[in-house]
Amino acid sequence: MKDEILVGIQHSSNKMDCLVCSFCFRFVGSIEKQIGRKLYFKNHLGLSGCCDEDEYMKYNGNEEQCGGSSSTLPEGVVSSLMSGELALPLTDKFPLPSPLSCPGGCQEAFYCSESCAEADWESSHSLLCTGERSESVSREALGEFIKHANDTNDIFVLAAKAIAFTILRYRKLKAAHVNKKAKQSEPNQSLLLEAWKPVSLGYKRRWWDCIALPDDVDPSDEGAFRMQIKNLAYTSLELLKSAIFDKECEALFSLEIYGNIIGMFELNNLDLVVASPVEDYFLYIDDLPDAEKEEAEDITRPFLDALGDEYSDCCQGTAFFPLQSCMNHSCCPNAKAFKREEDRDGQAVIIALRHISKNEEVTISYIDEELPYKERQTLLADYGFSCKCSKCLEDSSSV
């Protein structure tokens, strides 16, 4: 069973490694562009240097010929990759959709198609875009909110997406229900509750109450730690209010609601992982017959060496999946959330681990179910319950 993302984000630290659609998280551009961007950021962040372009043209994978480390490439070659002027062999076997810029002009979001750009704009991005066409109250405040999230915890951006999603859904519902002859001026709370319904599915606890105590925080300092987390959420919320506040949706901007939204993500989130086509490309080259492989590697080896272990970096983020969030836990689950090899977007797949009978509840495990009983119970306490599945009942009797 496929479970589509309600809201999701690519981690800000991952955006230099992978250029993906901001809505469905498919890789976009080309193999050359993906490699070129990664090398460009690697070079310009001072993580590696560049040798002379003439030296590169003589380079055949021999470090001595290049006059330095094999992990360096000339600036001109990297630029040619990014611009599409330089084509690598057999990349036509791995076609990617051309990246489309954000319709709001923010130069931060890119899409694989017009439909994804439109869907993201209508669902949340129109309020969270920093471009000239943004519908936010203040683009400057929005920029400050995003910077604060990137500097502290990008889970705040996920919470902002949930709030923006609800506001825009409320406006659509209200527009559909407004009498054409007499426009409604007062907010309709029942419509706001209806707009909130998709987000309401997840189990909620306030973030500062449910976040696990880090290993480096002494239990005696737990109260101070949780207050620090609460203050962090307050600062984030104030920045978000300055950016997208809507009086008719004022209830969404209370600290209590904001804390519960973030707590919901803390407890219900699923890692967002999309495998890189760059890794597939280099594996494909490596699996070619010897003669073809040698010919291709004469060209591709310098790029693989320059990327190093980072050639296989995948798109990473976090997302909220409505169906998965409704599934209860069991330490002997009959299903699991899974990422299949053929899935090249951000959607999750729920697969059965065994035969599931009619009317039997579908369960997944929130933790590593192979852990000892006491460790499982400690971890599950963060979710607000003590597990009494058949495995736990059996294990408890032997403790």
Side-chain angles (χ1 to χ4, degrees):
M1 177 173 62
K2 266 208 163 189
D3 192 5
E4 294 188 0
I5 292 173
L6 182 66
V7 288
I9 58 168
Q10 180 186 14
H11 291 316
S12 57
S13 58
N14 183 250
K15 290 182 177 179
M16 290 186 293
D17 295 323
C18 305
L19 179 63
V20 301
C21 175
S22 297
F23 186 71
C24 74
F25 303 100
R26 288 183 176 90
F27 277 75
V28 297
S30 63
I31 296 296
E32 288 87 353
K33 192 175 188 70
Q34 292 287 343
I35 295 173
R37 284 180 78 257
K38 184 183 278 289
L39 292 177
Y40 175 84
F41 286 121
K42 190 175 181 181
N43 292 340
H44 284 262
L45 288 175
L47 300 178
S48 69
C50 284
C51 61
D52 180 80
E53 190 161 358
D54 289 336
E55 290 180 319
Y56 169 76
M57 298 308 292
K58 301 174 185 175
Y59 176 64
N60 289 310
N62 186 321
E63 288 187 12
E64 295 180 359
Q65 284 184 328
C66 190
S69 168
S70 63
S71 64
T72 59
L73 286 172
E75 189 75 25
V77 171
V78 173
S79 298
S80 296
L81 276 178
M82 295 175 66
S83 67
E85 295 175 12
L86 177 59
L88 298 178
L90 302 173
T91 54
D92 58 326
K93 304 289 186 183
F94 301 87
L96 300 176
S98 299
L100 299 178
S101 297
C102 165
C106 68
Q107 299 302 313
E108 295 166 13
F110 296 91
Y111 301 96
C112 66
S113 63
E114 293 283 357
S115 59
C116 273
E118 183 178 343
D120 198 32
W121 185 261
E122 293 182 354
S123 65
S124 66
H125 191 63
S126 57
L127 284 179
L128 300 176
C129 177
T130 57
E132 292 182 359
R133 290 187 57 209
S134 174
E135 296 174 9
S136 63
V137 176
S138 168
R139 288 162 57 197
E140 182 179 353
L142 183 58
E144 291 177 7
F145 166 80
I146 294 171
K147 183 180 185 305
H148 177 264
N150 289 340
D151 290 344
T152 56
N153 193 327
D154 59 12
I155 201 172
F156 294 138
V157 178
L158 204 59
K161 277 197 166 189
I163 291 175
F165 169 86
T166 306
I167 291 173
L168 292 172
R169 194 163 185 262
Y170 166 78
R171 291 175 182 175
K172 287 180 183 178
L173 289 171
K174 183 183 175 184
H177 285 76
V178 165
N179 188 306
K180 294 182 180 180
K181 295 182 180 179
K183 288 201 171 182
Q184 187 177 335
S185 59
E186 294 298 318
N188 188 322
Q189 293 304 314
S190 64
L191 289 181
L192 183 56
L193 287 173
E194 180 65 24
W196 169 254
K197 194 172 182 179
V199 185
S200 71
L201 295 175
Y203 174 72
K204 295 173 181 62
R205 284 181 66 198
R206 295 183 305 186
W207 184 44
W208 46 88
D209 292 334
C210 69
I211 189 171
L213 195 67
D215 293 337
D216 59 351
V217 175
D218 191 275
S220 63
D221 297 327
E222 182 174 353
F225 166 76
R226 298 201 180 281
M227 182 56 67
Q228 183 181 9
I229 293 297
K230 183 176 181 179
N231 291 336
L232 192 63
Y234 174 80
T235 300
S236 173
L237 177 60
E238 290 301 301
L239 290 170
L240 185 62
K241 285 170 70 174
S242 298
I244 66 168
F245 183 74
D246 184 315
K247 181 65 177 176
E248 293 188 20
C249 301
E250 186 172 9
L252 297 173
F253 293 91
S254 73
L255 183 59
E256 186 76 10
I257 293 294
Y258 196 59
N260 275 282
I261 292 173
I262 304 169
M264 176 185 72
F265 292 144
E266 187 76 29
L267 297 172
N268 294 276
N269 271 8
L270 192 65
D271 286 340
L272 174 67
V273 178
V274 183
S276 170
V278 174
E279 179 182 20
D280 293 338
Y281 170 69
F282 283 116
L283 290 175
Y284 177 81
I285 296 296
D286 191 54
D287 286 340
L288 289 171
D290 289 344
E292 292 180 56
K293 176 180 175 180
E294 184 176 353
E295 182 180 353
E297 282 189 338
D298 281 344
I299 300 172
T300 63
R301 190 181 298 114
F303 298 98
L304 182 57
D305 289 345
L307 290 171
D309 293 339
E310 297 172 14
Y311 84 96
S312 61
D313 284 350
C314 57
C315 169
Q316 295 182 341
T318 187
F320 176 70
F321 297 85
L323 292 176
Q324 179 261 343
S325 73
C326 292
M327 294 180 179
N328 282 328
H329 165 84
S330 172
C331 295
C332 47
N334 56 23
K336 71 174 180 177
F338 189 66
K339 192 70 182 176
R340 302 175 303 182
E341 181 64 29
E342 65 266 29
D343 292 320
R344 294 294 168 172
D345 56 18
Q347 310 312 320
V349 176
I350 311 298
I351 64 167
L353 296 175
R354 58 173 173 79
H355 176 75
I356 301 176
S357 302
K358 183 178 180 180
N359 295 326
E360 180 184 357
E361 180 181 9
V362 178
T363 59
I364 59 175
S365 179
Y366 299 172
I367 59 170
D368 180 359
E369 63 267 28
E370 300 303 319
L371 292 171
Y373 169 74
K374 287 187 176 180
E375 288 186 42
R376 298 202 309 270
Q377 292 295 330
T378 298
L379 290 172
L380 291 169
D382 289 331
Y383 291 88
F385 67 90
S386 175
C387 185
K388 292 181 173 59
C389 69
S390 58
K391 183 176 181 177
C392 284
L393 291 175
E394 182 180 344
D395 289 351
S396 64
S397 64
S398 61
V399 173

